[in-house]
Amino acid sequence: MPERFFSRYGIVVRTLCAFFILCCLLSVPARAEEVESGTLSADVEAGLEGLLASVPRQGPVPDPAGYAAVLDFVFRPAAETATARPGKTEQGFGAFTRDTIKAPLARILRYCYDPDIPAEAVYPSALRRGFWLPGSDLLKQRVALWDKMAEKGEPVVLRGAEFEEITPDSFSGCYYSYKLDRLLILTRHQGRAVLISVSRQQAPSTVGRKGAIVGDDRNWEYVYSPVTGSTMRGLGWVNTYMYDSSTIAVFYEETPGGNTTGYALFKWVKAGWSNLNVVKRSHILAGSTRFLSGFKQVLESDKLPPAEELATLGRNLRRTPETELRKALATYSEHLMQLGEKDSVLSGSDFWSILKDAGYAETLSRDELVSVHIKNYMKRKLGKPGIDG
């Protein structure tokens, strides 16, 4: 009887068990965030909606009068916006966070919006790989936003699409890849230069695969398994997806021509399995904190290589024969194997199968090899510990 029951109903039982475990792990009964609506004013919410509607290339032209309320809100003192929450959408709960980056806006624009600079060099804790897709305005027009930020007049509006593959999530261990549409608006508000970056995921991501954070997450070392599922105990077999996400990020001069940049983020994420969204505001805020940590370590560092050096590195690595890229990671693969022997996650079959015999580099595609080289280069330049020898 038990064998026949589980043979016939095994999938249902496993699904119900996984649902129960996810509810226990990801839900916090009676917490305010499950029931509270947004706290933003109607004009700010309308401005956010207008920006998101303008993201696709066929979308409406962004209306400065419409998003002015958003910028007014962002420019308010941090203490006045500390408890702000965007309203819930079809993507689920939204989250808002803000911070100060100890770098001038021109520096941020120079490193973040030169398409020749690999995105993983600038966002090491968030992205495994990232690049603009053909047809994007930044590729066609080669607009140097850092040179235009002092110009007055009509806002500079650019659209495009990007590919992103993220680093393993610190909670589930999953990593995903997806494409998104992005809108960039370089403008001025209250005498200060502002860059608004708006994105919307085009379609559900690839299925979540098992990734691992090696050691301290602040050192940006990750291993990527081709196996689908999660590293969470009891949920290794669950197929998860990032179903949808939207982001509105605002970078602005805290004072005109100053050396610090204000950062504000509005973000919505729908992710889970079987179309169940298990993302809460607390998860979005934790992910935003992780992203900002790596981003600030790069942009605020006095050891940051010149932008053109990183652009040249990216171009050279993309031209290097794949065999050379792989060979240059022999010591790195050896050290990863040694770490894996002692690590409870990496010594498991899903990871050990790609680490044993110092074979990790052999499992990587050309783009993935380039990504490892870029991360290792950045760690050496910024004085962070690495395992590449």
Side-chain angles (χ1 to χ4, degrees):
M1 173 63 180
E3 291 79 6
R4 292 175 59 191
F5 176 85
F6 282 104
S7 174
R8 185 174 180 181
Y9 299 105
I11 294 177
V12 175
V13 172
R14 291 174 71 188
T15 299
L16 291 174
C17 288
F19 177 79
F20 175 75
I21 294 171
L22 278 170
C23 288
C24 291
L25 290 173
L26 299 176
S27 297
V28 183
R31 276 184 53 170
E33 69 174 352
E34 277 85 26
V35 296
E36 289 178 338
S37 59
T39 61
L40 302 179
S41 64
D43 57 343
V44 175
E45 289 283 7
L48 296 174
E49 292 175 6
L51 286 170
L52 291 173
S54 300
V55 172
R57 187 167 293 278
Q58 67 275 17
V61 176
D63 179 11
Y67 58 72
V70 176
L71 298 182
D72 287 340
F73 170 80
V74 166
F75 280 18
R76 289 167 58 184
E80 296 181 13
T81 64
T83 61
R85 294 186 306 275
K88 186 177 181 182
T89 69
E90 71 276 7
Q91 296 170 310
F93 291 104
F96 172 76
T97 188
R98 63 187 298 170
D99 206 334
T100 293
I101 302 166
K102 297 176 183 178
L105 179 59
R107 186 183 202 188
I108 292 172
L109 297 180
R110 181 67 182 89
Y111 282 86
C112 296
Y113 299 104
D114 179 346
D116 287 335
I117 294 180
E120 53 267 39
V122 183
Y123 309 107
S125 61
L127 291 182
R128 182 190 192 186
R129 297 183 292 151
F131 51 85
W132 290 92
L133 296 173
S136 298
D137 290 343
L138 270 182
L139 297 179
K140 294 190 302 181
Q141 301 178 23
R142 307 299 295 190
V143 178
L145 292 174
W146 51 95
D147 288 335
K148 289 186 170 293
M149 59 173 282
E151 296 179 4
K152 298 180 181 180
E154 293 298 313
V156 177
V157 178
L158 303 171
R159 289 187 173 91
E162 293 177 274
F163 169 87
E164 290 187 346
E165 185 170 40
I166 63 173
T167 57
D169 177 76
S170 58
F171 184 76
S172 68
C174 296
Y175 69 97
Y176 310 87
S177 62
Y178 49 84
K179 294 178 182 179
L180 52 82
D181 293 313
R182 188 174 298 278
L183 164 71
L184 300 176
I185 305 172
L186 180 65
T187 187
R188 300 190 69 82
H189 189 73
Q190 296 181 14
R192 292 181 264 177
V194 180
L195 188 283
I196 306 172
S197 175
V198 191
S199 69
R200 180 71 188 258
Q201 196 171 314
Q202 290 183 354
S205 71
T206 57
V207 65
R209 300 183 186 278
K210 296 182 181 183
I213 299 170
V214 182
D216 192 328
D217 188 31
R218 291 173 295 183
N219 293 330
W220 317 327
E221 195 67 69
Y222 311 101
V223 170
Y224 299 86
S225 161
V227 179
T228 60
S230 166
T231 57
M232 292 173 61
R233 187 179 299 275
L235 292 176
W237 58 273
V238 173
N239 290 337
T240 61
Y241 297 86
M242 283 183 60
Y243 294 111
D244 202 355
S245 65
S246 292
T247 299
I248 299 174
V250 182
F251 297 90
Y252 59 96
E253 293 179 302
E254 292 197 316
T255 58
N259 291 321
T260 60
T261 300
Y263 172 78
L265 176 73
F266 304 85
K267 191 173 184 65
W268 299 259
V269 178
K270 180 181 180 181
W273 63 286
S274 296
N275 210 34
L276 172 69
N277 185 18
V278 299
V279 177
K280 294 183 172 58
R281 287 191 179 102
S282 57
H283 301 135
I284 299 174
L285 291 173
S288 300
T289 299
R290 184 187 186 208
F291 157 79
L292 268 174
S293 173
F295 184 69
K296 291 174 70 173
Q297 286 180 63
V298 173
L299 269 297
E300 293 181 350
S301 176
D302 57 5
K303 300 177 182 178
L304 179 61
E308 187 51 42
E309 181 178 327
L310 291 180
T312 300
L313 172 69
R315 291 190 292 265
N316 289 343
L317 285 173
R318 285 189 284 271
R319 291 194 294 260
T320 301
E322 187 172 331
T323 53
E324 291 185 23
L325 293 172
R326 190 166 280 115
K327 183 179 179 180
L329 290 177
T331 300
Y332 174 81
S333 298
E334 176 71 28
H335 290 173
L336 264 185
M337 181 186 69
Q338 294 170 2
L339 287 172
E341 292 175 334
K342 306 171 185 177
D343 186 272
S344 60
V345 174
L346 296 180
S347 60
S349 60
D350 292 335
F351 292 97
W352 187 245
S353 62
I354 59 175
L355 296 179
K356 65 181 181 180
D357 302 322
Y360 183 59
E362 298 297 325
T363 71
L364 303 178
S365 69
R366 178 186 179 81
D367 287 345
E368 292 163 353
L369 290 166
V370 168
S371 175
V372 174
H373 280 289
I374 289 169
K375 288 280 183 79
N376 288 345
Y377 178 86
M378 290 299 293
K379 285 187 287 186
R380 288 193 297 270
K381 284 290 187 176
L382 300 182
K384 300 185 73 66
I387 64 171
D388 56 329

